[in-house]
Structures are given as structure tokens and as C-alpha cells.
Amino acid sequence: METKLVSTLEEAIRSVGLKDGMTVSFHHHLRNGDYILNLVMEQVAAMGIRDLTVNASSLFDVHLPLMEHIRSGVVTRLLTDYVSGGIGRHLSQGILEAPVEFRSHGTRATDIASEKTPIDVAFLAVPAADCRGNATGKLGRAACGSLGYAIPDAMYAKKVVLITDTLLPYPLSDWAIPECFVDYVVQVPEIGDPRGILSGTTRITRDPVGLVMAELAAKTIAGSGLLKEGFSFQTGAGGASLAAAAALKKIMEKEHITGSFALGGITGYLVEMLRAGCFRQLMDVQCFDLDAVASIRDDPRHREISAIHYAGPGTRGAVVDSLDVVILGATEIDTNFNVNVHTDSSGCLMGGSGGHTDAAAGAKLTMIIAPLVRARLPIVTDRVTCISTPGDTVDVLVTQRGIAVNPRRPELRQRLLEAGLPVTDIEALKKRAEAIAGIPRPVPRGDRVVAEVLGRDGRVQDQILSLPSDF
Amino acid sequence: METKLVSTLEEAIRSVGLKDGMTVSFHHHLRNGDYILNLVMEQVAAMGIRDLTVNASSLFDVHLPLMEHIRSGVVTRLLTDYVSGGIGRHLSQGILEAPVEFRSHGTRATDIASEKTPIDVAFLAVPAADCRGNATGKLGRAACGSLGYAIPDAMYAKKVVLITDTLLPYPLSDWAIPECFVDYVVQVPEIGDPRGILSGTTRITRDPVGLVMAELAAKTIAGSGLLKEGFSFQTGAGGASLAAAAALKKIMEKEHITGSFALGGITGYLVEMLRAGCFRQLMDVQCFDLDAVASIRDDPRHREISAIHYAGPGTRGAVVDSLDVVILGATEIDTNFNVNVHTDSSGCLMGGSGGHTDAAAGAKLTMIIAPLVRARLPIVTDRVTCISTPGDTVDVLVTQRGIAVNPRRPELRQRLLEAGLPVTDIEALKKRAEAIAGIPRPVPRGDRVVAEVLGRDGRVQDQILSLPSDF
């Protein structure tokens, strides 16, 4: 059989014809355990290739060596959906001349598909592949489950290189990426560190404030009128969000409600809800833990979806558009319900929208769950440092001290009041937070734009400024 | 939930903005039971839209009303991979001014993906869908199994309209077409006649000549040296091909050979071989019978593949490129091993390559199986009426009176001789056929080009002339 195997990454890079000025892409399913982005960029740098655009669905601290490639001019432009704190610190110092372009996971996928942000070469880490390029995340020593964020890159990049540590006999069944999109396959000893890829299990918070918020969140969902037969749901993997899911499960079981689907990054808690009959189906763009990986591999009700199918904006729509409720986090929320998940309150990059903005835009009820005060700073402000998710897509803020409903949703406010929930308004929550933590001093900012946040409509939604030079 | 349902086909056609001069596409998974092409074209004609290009993966006699739309100028250009005899007769009379463009199934898919033949609106019959456009061929009253030929249209058409008679709750699991590619969904009472979609069961030939050829075919495969662990195989649904598969099964079971995969249009016989352990996997672009539909629905070893994954030409390759053996038919084969499957020997259109040319190009051993004489005409000629599949991709002709090996493959000829098989040469087979049936008179031809056959390299491989006016 004619294979697509090449023996080194160097040979693959030569074979695809990577040149100065091109765009390369990476996915983040191996998260902080990923070896591949560094391996590829090191090789690219060694070959003297420069002036590259990197389009990475997310970056983690394991990718810090990329900062050196930026400093040396190997990389001159960066597109991403999320950066960890360590990476963010460097970017906030303005090491790139061109502002980083932040998109949501859905917008990234759509912009790749439409060639608004064309990819010359996608370098895709895959936990298992065959010699012709059929590949899956469900098998192999670094199994990560869904490869949802890699699928658009595979489908639309001009050239596709797979990098794996596990070659299986042809044809590999149950592929996420079919061979017809793949140019070359490179085998390496290890694509990643499983300990960095998955948390063994995601864990429900034990923090009493988190548990109070979780109870309130579940009651808010029940009170909204959306919790009925066919209910659909998304939540993050944060401890309070998981606690909210657990509280919701109790209500659903007690009231014998069968939801249609849970969506998004999938954890063992959502798998448990599937098994308990709370949902008919899981739609999984990314697995967060080992239970989710085992489930997507073995349970046909648990389905892998691409980032386009998950959250791609546009008239054709995506699964997020059919979502009833999403629970999301925030580093700041302002009195117009705008949410910041890109920076900390000092303005330093340490996050990104990921699917936050997509799910908020799609869901009938978008709930932000956050403690009133975090790191001795009020969570509610007059104007968030960065608008990651616009306030007109956010419906309710749940804190441990009460619930604020967006004035755009008077009928929701009324429902929650009727359900006996502690509804207040967001100005009151702000005052309450300030009473505890004081009014924070304005933070000095630098004068360079280090990042632009693009909205789902493709326009610049906000800009992020550099840190002051003495920061 | 916001649905994509529109209440009439007319509304869908208006909503997608179909206009004069555009290209519409259809798939042929409902074969001679399809209601949708006629329904759509009738509506389009009623709305006064003209000068359309129709890109249909195949056309059957049920689609004869399309000939009227050609005569009236609603359709002025036709791209297809296969036409039935009734359709072929009209086209051979030259009712279209522009020559029909014939492609293989693989080339059609690739040309759609690369926008060489862009599609403005794909009208896709789907046996089951949800209200947002997740769709499958595995469920519903007109279940046809795989939707492999429809997937490229869904992925790359500018607008996609699904037409179904079976709406299932959102989200439909196990979609072949995900909602993110779909603009509108129309429900109609019936998308097709199940009797025309599937033969109840495909049947092995009982014809003694066919059985002799089948035995010889199986022995040729065994003698070729390819029948070993990991063996891969494709065959058509013709009676003699199925008999050859049955003979092959006996050998594989006796010799305890486990193949890797069987490919292509899948029949109950291949499902039986899967269950008997002859193959680890079925790669299915199209189901031919009810057993295949049940199997692709229920058995995870039986996988749906798109036409691109199946057979798309190009450097990235497809599953056909990894094929060991394919058994194919022919209406004529010439002494250079060129094969005609487009016309009968009088030059009248009555077929097309489908996947014939793709599988021949990919397989290590391409076998043509045909009786020496058919309809009192020799099967072997000096020059086929139309080169559907080029002789340099054909390795062996198996007839009831002996086997001819392409001179390009002396080592294969040697192997088959050593295996004690009745190897002769193709000139001898031609003489033998002529001794039985006589030398056919040259057939008069018209002077217009009614069709062009494009090769897998995109170039015109042959032209088909009109019938003489007094035919």
C-alpha cells in the first residue's frame, strides 16, 4: 500500500513547501500536554523559515517556547481563541508588532472554511492514525476523545500534516479526519503528556460560595421555564459550573425530565447525566476528562462534532443556536452585562472567548456564574476591561448574593421573581461588591494595541492595550 | 427552536435565490425510486427559471421528465456520472446543444470540492432529517443507507436544501450531513418509492456462463498473490460479480484469510463476508440492498464514506488507492484493454463510469469480468466505442473461455500460468468471440458530439457521437 508516511517532520515541512510568510495552524486538544506545536515550530525555525502567521485554536503555558519564535521573527502574526496566563503576559508586553487576533471557536472555524483566514499548512497532532491519514482522538496513548477543533483545519487547509505516536492498521475505523484531506503522516515517539491533556477527573467545587451559586443557578434554570422535555444544556468544566450541573441533575431526575442534548466541552458529569437519562445525546467538540474520552469511544449516543457544527456563526447555524441554557464564567461583567474573559482586571491577557461568545449568542438563556468578589476585586464593574462577549447576548448573572437579570429580559425577571428567587439588579450587585472590596483604582494602561477581539460578525469588538512599561 | 423548515419547495427555491443560468445538483441514492429530482425540476420550470446546469451524480429512467425540461430550455447543460438506457437514448439523439459532461464518481466529487464545477444549489433527498438539517440515509421509510454521493454536494454547494419525508427530533444522531451545511429543510409526503431504491436482495447469478466466470475470477484473485492477510476488495452488484465474491468467500474461509476492508457499493453478500470474518471493515459509499442498509445502521464495522473519501482523484488519495482487487463489468473491451461502460455497441448512451474508472485506477489488480459474447456481439473489439476506463488501468479480462492479461503485467501473466489458469491473450479471445458471433458491421454514427467523457486527470478522454438521424 502506498502510504503517506514521511520519516521526519523536516521532510514533511519540505514536502508541503512551507515558505516565509505562510500561515500554519494547530489545534489545542492536547491542551497543556501538547508537544506538537513546539516540535513543529522548532523545526521550522531550524530550517530558517520566517514571518509565519500562527493560527492556533488555543495556546497554553506549555507553548511558551513560541514566545521566542515571535521574538526572533519566525512568527510575526498570531490568531487564536484563547491564551493561558503565561502566554498572555508575554503578549500583553507587546512582543508582537501586529495585534493578536482573537476569535471565538465558532468564528475561527467559519473564517477558515470561508478562507477569510486561509491556512497554508495545518500541523495536526492526532492520538491515532493509519498510514493513509484516517485519524481519531479516541484511541492511542494520548487519547483526547473528540478532535472537533481540528476538523475545520483538516478540511480547509491547503496542506495537512498529521503527527501521531500511534499508527494503527489501515483503514482506521471511526475517523474524525478522513484520509482524503491528509497529505502526510509523521510518526513521533510521543505527541503529548497525557497528564497535561486530561485531568483524571474534573471535580465539583467544595467551596461553599461555589455551592451556593450552583444551587441558585440550577433554580434559575428551573425557574426560567426552559427546563422541560427536550431541554438542552451547555456548561463549562469549572467547579461551580459542574456543581450547577449536579444540582440540575437532581431536579431533572426528580421531575422525570429527559433533555435532548448536552453540548460543548464534555466532562464525566455530563456523561453521567446521559447515562442517567437526563439527555438523549451528547454533542462533543472537546473532551475534558477520561470519562468523556471513554464515553465518546464506546457510546453511540455521545457524538463528536466539528467546531463548525458546534458553533460556526452564519445563517446556516450550528448546534449552539438550538441551545436552551448555557452556564458560563467571567473575570469581569459590567453593568451592561458585557463579559470579559480575555484579561484579568489589570488588563493582562490570560484567557479568551473559546466557545463563550458562541454559546452566549446561541442560547435562549445565557447565565454567567461568578462570585461577587474575586481576588479582592469586585466582579461587577462599570465597563469591563475587554468586551469578550457582548452584553446583549447575556441574560442573567448569578452570584452568591443574588441574581441580576438583563433589562432586555423583563419577562425572565418576572418569572424568576415568581419562582421566589433572590432577584436584584446589577447596579445593586456592583454596590454590594464594592462595599466588600472597595472601589478599585483605575489601572494604568500602555498605549499600544496588543490584541483585537473580533466579534461573531467579523468586526473588531474590542481592543486590548499593552501593559504600562513599568508593570 | 428556530428551525430551517420551509413549507413548500417553491419557498425553498425562492429563499435560496435560484436564478437563470445557475447550477443545481442531485444525488442518486434513491436510484430508480427517486421522486425528488422531478419534483424540484417541475417546480423550477413552473417558476419560469431557465438555462440551468444540472449536476446529477446519476440519472435513471424515473428521471425521464428531465428530458422535457431540456427540450424546453429549462436545462441547457448536464453533468453526470451515469445515465440509464432510457435517458441515454434521448441524450444520444442530441437534445442538448452542449455535450453532456461525464465524470467518474470520484472526479465529480473532487471537481465540486475544488469549485471546478461549482454548485449554486444542492437539492438533496434525505430519508431522515431533523428540523435544523442534520440528516441520514439510515432511517426513515425510504432508507437507502449511505449518503456518500450527497456529502460533497452538501459540503461545497453555496446553498443546500434538504428534502425529506421523515422528520425526527433534534438532534438527529449519526448524521451523514450535519446541519452546519444546510440552509433549508422541506418536508414532502414521500421522497421516493422504496421498491425502486433497493432491490429486496441482490442475487447471485444462476447463469452457467456467469458461474464459470465467477469461479475463474476467484481463482485469478487467489493466483495473483494478493489474496492474503489484509486483503482489500471491491465488486459491483452484478450477478456474476456477486458469484465471484461468493467463490472468493469460500477460498478465504478455507484458507483462514482475514481481509482489511471491502469497498464501494455494498451488498448483503459483502455484509455476510464481514460477519464471516473475511473483512474487518466495510467502507460504504452506497448501499445496494436491505441487508446493507440494516448493517450500516447497526454495525460499527460498516462505515459510511463520502464520494471524496471513496474515490476522489488527486495527490491526497482516497480509499480506492489502497484497494488490492476490484471486479468490474464492461459492455466492450478492446485489444488495448480500454473498457466501455458508457454506450452499447451501437454507440447509444446507456451507462457511465460511476466508480468504474476510479476503482480501476486505484486497485493493484483491476479485473474485468464479461462473457465473450453478449447480445450476439463479441465483447472484445479493436477499439471500444467509448473509452470509459483507460486500458492502462486494467490488468486482466476474465471470460468463460479464458483469461487475458494486459501485456503491461507480464509478472501477473506468469503467476496465473503457474497457478494453472487458462491464460490466453486478448487477440485470441477476440478471434474466438468473432468465430461465435461473426465480425460486427461498423455502426454508422452521427456527426455531433453529444457527450464528453472526462478522465480522472480532468482532460477529455473520449467523445460520444450522436446517433445517425435515421437510427
Side-chain angles (χ1 to χ4, degrees):
Chain A
M1 185 182 303
E2 205 181 318
T3 78
K4 297 178 184 173
L5 293 170
V6 291
S7 46
T8 63
L9 208 43
E10 181 178 0
E11 190 183 340
I13 293 167
R14 262 188 230 295
S15 301
V16 295
L18 186 68
K19 288 193 179 55
D20 291 5
M22 284 187 170
T23 296
V24 297
S25 85
F26 302 93
H27 69 73
H28 70 282
H29 285 286
L30 305 186
R31 286 185 285 271
N32 208 36
D34 176 44
Y35 293 166
I36 294 310
L37 185 145
N38 293 342
L39 213 58
V40 170
M41 293 312 299
E42 197 181 336
Q43 183 58 51
V44 162
M47 292 166 74
I49 299 169
R50 295 175 61 80
D51 191 23
L52 293 177
T53 295
V54 168
N55 184 336
S57 53
S58 295
L59 293 171
F60 291 83
D61 280 358
V62 70
H63 301 127
L64 277 168
L66 180 63
M67 302 301 100
E68 289 317 307
H69 298 304
I70 288 176
R71 287 201 169 85
S72 65
V74 173
V75 175
T76 52
R77 207 165 148 242
L78 181 61
L79 284 59
T80 190
D81 309 341
Y82 173 94
V83 296
S84 62
I87 300 277
R89 171 61 57 119
H90 285 266
L91 296 174
S92 278
Q93 285 165 352
I95 63 171
L96 264 169
E97 206 155 313
V100 179
E101 284 181 27
F102 277 96
R103 286 174 174 76
S104 69
H105 284 329
T107 307
R108 175 182 189 270
T110 301
D111 283 353
I112 289 170
S114 71
E115 303 211 328
K116 193 169 165 183
T117 56
I119 295 168
D120 293 300
V121 188
F123 291 97
L124 303 178
V126 291
D130 65 34
C131 65
R132 300 274 304 163
N134 296 295
T136 181
K138 298 176 187 177
L139 305 169
R141 55 170 284 292
C144 61
S146 177
L147 283 176
Y149 295 126
I151 294 172
D153 304 49
M155 283 174 73
Y156 298 105
K158 292 189 189 80
K159 298 282 178 181
V160 174
V161 177
L162 300 188
I163 301 142
T164 191
D165 54 24
T166 304
L167 275 177
L168 296 178
Y170 182 93
L172 180 149
S173 180
D174 204 8
W175 55 84
I177 297 171
E179 64 190 287
C180 50
F181 298 130
V182 176
D183 294 281
Y184 298 101
V185 180
V186 185
Q187 192 174 14
V188 296
E190 292 186 320
I191 61 166
D193 177 355
R195 287 167 303 175
I197 299 170
L198 302 168
S199 36
T201 37
T202 35
R203 257 185 238 108
I204 287 183
T205 188
R206 285 165 197 265
D207 164 43
V209 170
L211 290 172
V212 169
M213 292 193 299
E215 277 299 321
L216 267 184
K219 285 179 183 160
T220 301
I221 292 169
S224 74
L226 290 167
L227 190 61
K228 55 191 181 196
E229 209 60 18
F231 172 71
S232 60
F233 180 60
Q234 177 170 349
T235 183
S241 299
L242 292 178
L248 192 66
K249 178 166 177 267
K250 273 190 206 147
I251 301 174
M252 291 179 81
E253 289 184 317
K254 194 176 145 210
E255 300 190 6
H256 302 290
I257 293 167
T258 305
S260 52
F261 67 93
L263 172 67
I266 299 294
T267 61
Y269 287 97
L270 291 171
V271 171
E272 220 174 84
M273 289 179 84
L274 175 74
R275 289 191 190 134
C278 297
F279 296 106
R280 283 189 284 108
Q281 207 166 312
L282 300 182
M283 310 280 267
D284 186 339
V285 71
Q286 176 178 27
C287 297
F288 280 123
D289 57 29
L290 288 168
D291 286 348
V293 173
S295 169
I296 200 174
R297 192 182 56 222
D298 300 329
D299 190 334
R301 297 171 301 174
H302 185 160
R303 295 294 311 269
E304 186 168 21
I305 55 173
S306 75
I308 303 176
H309 195 176
Y310 164 47
T315 54
R316 294 183 181 202
V319 185
V320 288
D321 300 323
S322 299
L323 201 51
D324 286 327
V325 175
V326 64
I327 302 180
L328 298 167
T331 61
E332 296 173 324
I333 180 167
D334 68 26
T335 49
N336 290 314
F337 288 82
N338 296 308
V339 175
N340 177 17
V341 288
H342 277 85
T343 75
D344 62 23
S345 50
S346 70
C348 188
L349 270 166
M350 45 68 73
S353 170
H356 195 285
T357 312
D358 301 309
K364 287 200 187 70
L365 173 64
T366 298
M367 177 190 296
I368 303 296
I369 175 170
L372 211 50
V373 169
R374 191 189 276 137
R376 282 181 285 174
L377 287 167
I379 204 96
V380 188
T381 67
D382 286 324
R383 206 296 197 174
V384 286
T385 311
C386 171
I387 299 177
S388 305
T389 293
D392 60 4
T393 63
V394 173
D395 300 299
V396 56
L397 166 65
V398 173
T399 72
Q400 75 275 33
R401 297 295 182 93
I403 299 167
V405 180
N406 193 320
R408 286 187 320 108
R409 299 291 308 274
E411 86 298 351
L412 176 64
R413 184 187 160 90
Q414 193 53 40
R415 273 180 182 275
L416 299 185
L417 281 170
E418 282 163 15
L421 289 164
V423 176
T424 173
D425 63 54
I426 198 154
E427 294 284 355
L429 287 177
K430 175 171 167 268
K431 283 197 189 111
R432 225 159 154 176
E434 288 173 351
I436 302 166
I439 299 178
R441 273 180 307 173
V443 177
R445 295 281 146 76
D447 49 10
R448 277 189 50 207
V449 174
V450 295
E452 293 187 328
V453 177
L454 302 177
R456 291 185 103 225
D457 59 3
R459 285 187 286 197
V460 176
Q461 183 171 279
D462 210 341
Q463 296 183 319
I464 297 168
L465 295 172
S466 55
L467 299 175
S469 49
D470 58 347
F471 187 81
Chain B
M1 184 181 304
E2 205 183 317
T3 77
K4 297 179 183 173
L5 293 170
V6 291
S7 47
T8 63
L9 208 43
E10 180 177 359
E11 190 184 339
I13 293 168
R14 261 188 232 296
S15 301
V16 294
L18 185 68
K19 289 194 179 55
D20 291 7
M22 284 187 169
T23 296
V24 296
S25 85
F26 302 94
H27 70 73
H28 72 281
H29 285 286
L30 305 186
R31 285 186 284 272
N32 207 37
D34 175 45
Y35 293 165
I36 294 309
L37 185 145
N38 293 341
L39 213 58
V40 170
M41 293 312 299
E42 197 181 337
Q43 183 58 50
V44 163
M47 291 165 75
I49 299 169
R50 295 174 61 80
D51 191 24
L52 293 177
T53 295
V54 168
N55 184 337
S57 54
S58 295
L59 293 171
F60 291 84
D61 279 359
V62 71
H63 301 127
L64 277 167
L66 181 63
M67 302 301 101
E68 289 317 306
H69 298 304
I70 288 176
R71 287 201 169 84
S72 65
V74 173
V75 174
T76 51
R77 208 167 146 242
L78 181 61
L79 283 58
T80 190
D81 309 341
Y82 172 94
V83 295
S84 63
I87 299 277
R89 171 61 58 116
H90 285 266
L91 297 175
S92 277
Q93 285 165 354
I95 62 170
L96 264 169
E97 207 156 312
V100 179
E101 283 181 27
F102 277 96
R103 284 172 176 78
S104 70
H105 283 329
T107 307
R108 175 182 188 270
T110 301
D111 284 354
I112 289 170
S114 71
E115 302 211 327
K116 193 167 164 184
T117 56
I119 294 169
D120 293 298
V121 188
F123 291 98
L124 303 178
V126 291
D130 64 34
C131 65
R132 299 274 303 167
N134 296 294
T136 180
K138 298 176 186 176
L139 305 168
R141 53 170 286 291
C144 61
S146 177
L147 283 177
Y149 294 125
I151 294 171
D153 303 48
M155 284 173 73
Y156 299 105
K158 291 189 190 82
K159 297 282 178 180
V160 174
V161 177
L162 300 188
I163 301 142
T164 191
D165 53 24
T166 304
L167 275 178
L168 296 177
Y170 182 92
L172 180 148
S173 181
D174 203 8
W175 56 84
I177 298 171
E179 65 191 285
C180 49
F181 298 131
V182 176
D183 294 281
Y184 298 101
V185 180
V186 186
Q187 191 174 16
V188 295
E190 294 186 318
I191 61 167
D193 177 356
R195 286 168 304 176
I197 299 170
L198 302 168
S199 38
T201 39
T202 37
R203 257 186 237 108
I204 288 182
T205 187
R206 286 167 195 265
D207 165 44
V209 169
L211 290 173
V212 169
M213 293 192 300
E215 277 299 321
L216 268 183
K219 285 179 182 162
T220 300
I221 293 169
S224 74
L226 291 166
L227 189 62
K228 56 191 178 195
E229 210 60 19
F231 172 71
S232 60
F233 180 61
Q234 177 171 350
T235 184
S241 299
L242 292 178
L248 192 67
K249 178 166 178 266
K250 273 190 204 147
I251 301 174
M252 292 179 80
E253 288 184 317
K254 196 176 144 209
E255 301 190 5
H256 303 289
I257 293 165
T258 305
S260 52
F261 66 93
L263 173 67
I266 299 293
T267 61
Y269 287 97
L270 291 172
V271 171
E272 221 174 84
M273 289 178 84
L274 175 74
R275 288 190 191 137
C278 297
F279 296 105
R280 283 189 282 108
Q281 208 167 310
L282 300 181
M283 310 280 268
D284 186 340
V285 70
Q286 176 179 27
C287 296
F288 280 124
D289 57 30
L290 289 168
D291 286 348
V293 173
S295 169
I296 200 173
R297 192 183 56 222
D298 300 328
D299 190 334
R301 297 171 301 175
H302 184 161
R303 294 293 312 267
E304 184 168 24
I305 54 173
S306 75
I308 303 176
H309 195 175
Y310 164 46
T315 54
R316 296 184 181 200
V319 186
V320 289
D321 300 323
S322 300
L323 201 52
D324 286 326
V325 175
V326 63
I327 302 180
L328 296 167
T331 61
E332 296 173 327
I333 180 167
D334 67 27
T335 50
N336 290 315
F337 287 83
N338 296 308
V339 174
N340 177 17
V341 287
H342 277 85
T343 74
D344 61 23
S345 49
S346 70
C348 187
L349 270 166
M350 44 71 70
S353 170
H356 195 285
T357 311
D358 301 308
K364 286 201 188 70
L365 174 64
T366 298
M367 177 190 296
I368 303 296
I369 177 170
L372 211 51
V373 170
R374 191 189 275 137
R376 282 181 287 173
L377 287 168
I379 204 95
V380 188
T381 66
D382 286 324
R383 208 293 195 177
V384 286
T385 311
C386 170
I387 299 178
S388 305
T389 293
D392 60 4
T393 62
V394 174
D395 300 299
V396 56
L397 166 65
V398 172
T399 73
Q400 76 275 34
R401 297 297 182 92
I403 299 167
V405 181
N406 192 320
R408 286 187 321 109
R409 298 292 309 273
E411 85 298 350
L412 177 63
R413 182 187 160 93
Q414 193 54 38
R415 275 181 181 274
L416 299 184
L417 281 170
E418 282 163 14
L421 289 164
V423 176
T424 174
D425 62 52
I426 198 157
E427 294 284 352
L429 286 176
K430 174 171 168 268
K431 283 199 188 108
R432 219 155 159 181
E434 288 174 351
I436 301 167
I439 299 177
R441 273 179 308 174
V443 177
R445 297 278 147 76
D447 49 10
R448 278 188 50 207
V449 174
V450 295
E452 292 187 329
V453 177
L454 302 178
R456 291 184 103 226
D457 58 3
R459 285 187 288 196
V460 176
Q461 181 170 283
D462 210 343
Q463 296 183 319
I464 297 169
L465 295 172
S466 56
L467 300 174
S469 50
D470 59 346
F471 187 83

